[in-house]
Amino acid sequence: MQQTIAKVDLSAIAWNLQGVRDKVAPAAVMAVVKANAYGHGALTVSRTALAQGCTHLAVARVDEAIELRKAGIEAPILVLGGFSHDDAFFIPRFELQATVFEEQGLRQLSAAARKAGCSIPVHVKVDTGMGRVGVAWDNALPFVQRLLKHQELPLQGLYSHFATADWLDKSYAELQLERFRETIEQLQRAGIQVPLKHIANSAAILDMPDSYFDLVRPGVMMYGYYPSRETTESIPLRPAMTLQTQVHYVKTIERGESVSYGRQFIAREKTNIATLPVGYGDGYNRLLSNCGEVLIHGQRFPVVGRVCMDMILVDLGGCADVAIGDEAVLFGRQGDQWITVDSICEKINTIPYEVTCWISKRVPRIYWNAD
Ligand SMILES: Cc1ncc(COP(=O)(O)O)c(C=O)c1O
């Protein structure tokens, strides 16, 4: 029997990126493919993004970038996150671009570049208000001046990240944008030109055209989701992923009988139950116990009882024509019905980013609609 699969529609990713490119031109596009491309499969998504005209890729960790290089990706890859002392030596070896914002990172990269006998293009991360990492925006100039003493570390970019661009109230995002602009102006006054200045994530791409600069960094919107319900939908998006499985077992239970751990569902009347071979081990969240929904034969059925590691149970009610092997959709479209990732997020209080990132390694990604 076919196992649980995540079907990824590459034409949706291409379409979403085309929408981004049309909106942000002439700014370039750096496709954010960290965390296995938000669960969609970093390599195939990277290839699709590059074919679609993205000029750069971004990942969070050095090992994510190495995986792409080893698979033959030649485009510039920026590592957004930090790196260990050992990681630093892989950065020149795999011709990666690194993020710097403090002295230790600078020293480690400098040592790695000198040891490799080549240069490492760096992007300086500026903290304009996200409060995670980055050199404080009003202290960026002296840091960049120290960086410029390292010829082996050419300044390729300056970037920052928004904390609230996905809010309806853009006042804090505007403050961050203003600080970013001021940082750029300070550098310019000191005679420093930065080739790539970038700050826009998906929310800013949708709602803050003043934030595009030289390059934008779309993540979640590439995969077809709006970052929140408060952004506009100024670019039409198509969700790329469908999570589906096949009915594993069907049975009838009598009133008073229960299904799954903890007897959290007890039948009020005789009913038909389908068992599906998917669970939290595949990334179907346990919080969907007794509240998820599934499409079978283009009809919606409730998930009943606790979500197990490898199985869930679905109440088919009086519907008796569901058979072993029938397709069941956990999110995505079936017939004219659609279970949206947003509807799952609403039920269990999370964001689309997390829902697709959850899909675990054991779920094969099946690509379709490739060019
Ligand atoms: C530094 C940075 N840039 C861009 C993105 C993409 O953000 P989004 O998925 O909201 O577009 C992320 C994602 O978290 C990020 O950390």
Side-chain angles (χ1 to χ4, degrees):
M1 182 186 297
Q2 190 191 21
Q3 55 201 136
T4 299
I5 56 170
K7 280 198 334 189
V8 178
D9 179 356
L10 295 176
S11 73
I13 294 177
W15 156 274
N16 298 332
L17 281 170
Q18 188 59 50
V20 172
R21 289 195 63 216
D22 290 346
K23 188 158 164 69
V24 307
V29 180
M30 172 183 277
V32 180
V33 295
K34 60 184 180 161
N36 199 26
Y38 293 40
H40 293 69
L43 179 59
T44 308
V45 169
S46 296
R47 287 192 181 127
T48 304
L50 295 170
Q52 203 54 37
C54 294
T55 52
H56 292 67
L57 301 171
V59 294
R61 310 255 190 267
V62 171
D63 57 337
E64 292 179 319
I66 292 175
E67 218 175 294
L68 294 176
R69 276 286 182 264
K70 283 188 170 165
I73 297 286
E74 291 177 354
I77 305 176
L78 173 62
V79 180
L80 298 166
F83 46 85
S84 66
H85 174 266
D86 293 344
D87 278 345
F89 292 93
F90 290 105
I91 291 174
R93 187 160 141 206
F94 288 94
E95 296 182 42
L96 308 178
Q97 304 194 355
T99 297
V100 279
F101 50 84
E102 43 74 42
E103 303 302 327
Q104 183 178 314
L106 204 59
R107 278 198 305 276
Q108 285 176 341
L109 277 185
S110 169
R114 279 187 276 114
K115 186 161 184 231
C118 62
S119 61
I120 301 175
V122 297
H123 295 237
V124 171
K125 177 103 183 246
V126 181
D127 186 1
T128 54
M130 176 69 172
R132 236 170 21 175
V133 291
V135 56
W137 67 279
D138 49 359
N139 203 25
L141 177 59
F143 180 76
V144 172
Q145 283 169 329
R146 285 196 295 282
L147 166 69
L148 291 177
K149 296 199 175 110
H150 294 269
Q151 283 179 355
E152 71 285 7
L153 302 178
L155 176 61
Q156 179 70 20
L158 185 87
Y159 77 100
S160 192
H161 193 46
F162 286 118
T164 60
D166 61 335
W167 288 7
L168 185 60
D169 175 358
K170 294 285 192 274
S171 50
Y172 191 72
E174 289 292 351
L175 174 68
Q176 283 195 261
L177 183 55
E178 193 44 43
R179 290 171 172 174
F180 190 57
R181 251 193 232 111
E182 270 183 44
T183 310
I184 294 166
E185 281 166 15
Q186 276 180 22
L187 297 188
Q188 277 169 347
R189 279 196 296 273
I192 301 166
Q193 298 299 334
V194 187
L196 295 174
K197 300 166 284 297
H198 46 111
I199 187 169
N201 56 1
S202 295
I205 292 168
L206 291 164
D207 289 346
M208 300 175 67
D210 288 350
S211 70
Y212 296 165
F213 296 94
D214 305 298
L215 183 150
V216 298
R217 303 190 309 266
V220 77
M221 68 190 311
M222 278 174 59
Y223 309 104
Y225 307 104
Y226 294 97
S228 80
R229 290 189 174 257
E230 294 187 26
T231 63
T232 63
E233 299 187 359
S234 62
I235 299 176
L237 300 176
R238 278 167 42 194
M241 187 187 281
T242 300
L243 183 65
Q244 67 181 61
T245 189
Q246 285 183 315
V247 174
H248 189 42
Y249 185 51
V250 185
K251 63 174 180 278
T252 304
I253 63 170
E254 300 296 330
R255 175 189 150 91
E257 286 191 77
S258 62
V259 296
S260 194
Y261 289 115
R263 306 197 69 211
Q264 298 292 298
F265 172 79
I266 298 177
R268 290 210 191 110
E269 55 193 31
K270 183 175 175 175
T271 191
N272 296 300
I273 298 284
T275 306
L276 309 185
V278 60
Y280 61 80
D282 302 285
Y284 191 77
N285 198 291
R286 191 167 174 275
L287 294 172
L288 289 162
S289 298
N290 268 325
C291 73
E293 280 183 320
V294 165
L295 298 174
I296 303 173
H297 296 185
Q299 244 182 290
R300 260 164 218 274
F301 295 104
V303 170
V304 288
R306 286 223 180 113
V307 170
C308 308
M309 188 184 289
D310 316 301
M311 283 181 244
I312 60 171
L313 292 306
V314 172
D315 186 0
L316 303 171
C319 177
D321 62 345
V322 171
I324 292 175
D326 286 354
E327 180 191 275
V329 169
L330 303 143
F331 61 78
R333 182 190 288 279
Q334 189 187 58
D336 57 7
Q337 289 291 315
W338 193 318
I339 294 179
T340 63
V341 167
D342 279 344
S343 71
I344 292 176
C345 293
E346 231 163 66
K347 285 193 170 117
I348 62 174
N349 190 25
T350 187
I351 51 175
Y353 303 67
E354 199 178 23
V355 174
T356 57
C357 277
W358 278 329
I359 307 306
S360 72
K361 229 178 176 176
R362 79 176 181 189
V363 178
R365 273 62 173 177
I366 308 292
Y367 297 100
W368 56 297
N369 278 341
D371 268 349

